[in-house]
Structure formats: C-alpha cells, structure tokens
Amino acid sequence: MFSFSDNQKIGVFLTGFGVVFTMLGVMLFFDRGLLAIGNIAFLLGVTMIIGFRKTQNWLINRNKWAGTTCFLGGILLVLFGWTIIGLFIEIFGFINLFRNFFPVAFAFLRRFPLIRNILNLPILSQLVDRIIGNYSLPV
C-alpha cells in the first residue's frame, strides 16, 4: 500500500516518542526534562519524515512566521525552565503551524469505528464539524 523509507519509519517512531514524552511531562506536573525530550524528539521526527529541506521551507514560510516563532520560542522557554508559559506558547504555535492539517486529520479519524463514535458525541461533533468545514477526503 504505502512504502516508507527507513528514515521515514524512524521519523514516525521519533514523532510518536516525542508526543508520548510531552504527554508524560504534562501529566507529571510539567516536568522540564520530559517536555524537552518530547519537543526535541518531535522536531527530529517531523524532520526525518518529510526531509530537512522541506522542513526548513515549511518553517520559514512567510505565512507561518507567527506559528514558527511561537513554537520554537516555546521550546526555548521550556528548555530554560519556564515550562508552563513555554508550553502554552508552544501550543499556540503548534496550532498556527498545523492549522491546515487539522481538517485532513479529523476527516481521516472519522473513518475509524471507535474514534468515529467519540467524535460524533454531541459536544465534540459540533467542534469537529466546525474544524473540518466542507473538507472531505479525496478517496
């Protein structure tokens, strides 16, 4: 179906590793070390999935300056010890960077039976419908 290179497989692992460590860092009262490991692993994973040049072009895109600045600035604040403030600034940057990807992700997740039931709950359904808008998957 899909063929991934070895670098992309490692990138998927690192991205997942980064998400897990970030979640652990939040659950353990904003542990700076876990958040820093999660941030670095996530950035390395995304870079390995799409390549260095594409990552660089994506981050320095003129339309994404605010998101890039907030995301990388939040990572630096986490590394320097301002974990809560840094994490919130990082989340704001993450939302701005990945804003165009959310409709695709939610439309894809709605195809899975268990996740579809969760996303169709009355409160979540309105939010997800608002995020997706008129987007539908091409297949």
Side-chain angles (χ1 to χ4, degrees):
M1 187 171 178
F2 293 110
S3 64
F4 294 109
S5 69
D6 289 339
N7 282 343
Q8 289 175 326
K9 291 175 187 175
I10 294 170
V12 169
F13 172 76
L14 281 174
T15 303
F17 188 73
V19 168
V20 168
F21 266 75
T22 301
M23 288 172 46
L24 277 172
V26 170
M27 285 190 289
L28 295 174
F29 304 111
F30 298 99
D31 182 50
R32 181 174 65 167
L34 291 174
L35 289 172
I37 290 170
N39 289 332
I40 292 169
F42 180 80
L43 281 177
L44 287 175
V46 169
T47 303
M48 291 189 78
I49 290 172
I50 64 175
F52 181 76
R53 183 67 62 194
K54 287 182 182 178
T55 303
Q56 182 183 12
N57 291 338
W58 178 64
L59 288 175
I60 63 171
N61 186 350
R62 185 173 284 252
N63 298 330
K64 299 186 186 284
W65 269 108
T68 301
T69 304
C70 289
F71 186 68
L72 296 177
I75 289 174
L76 286 175
L77 285 174
V78 167
L79 290 174
F80 290 134
W82 294 74
T83 54
I84 296 174
I85 295 169
L87 189 65
F88 284 121
I89 292 173
E90 185 180 334
I91 290 170
F92 176 75
F94 182 84
I95 290 171
N96 282 327
L97 280 175
F98 291 99
R99 181 181 307 161
N100 297 335
F101 179 69
F102 289 139
V104 177
F106 281 123
F108 179 73
L109 288 173
R110 275 197 165 163
R111 293 186 170 213
F112 293 102
L114 180 64
I115 298 173
R116 179 186 324 131
N117 294 339
I118 294 170
L119 292 178
N120 285 335
L121 291 173
I123 296 171
L124 289 178
S125 176
Q126 294 173 354
L127 177 67
V128 171
D129 288 341
R130 189 172 177 190
I131 291 171
I132 291 176
N134 294 330
Y135 184 82
S136 65
L137 289 174
V139 177

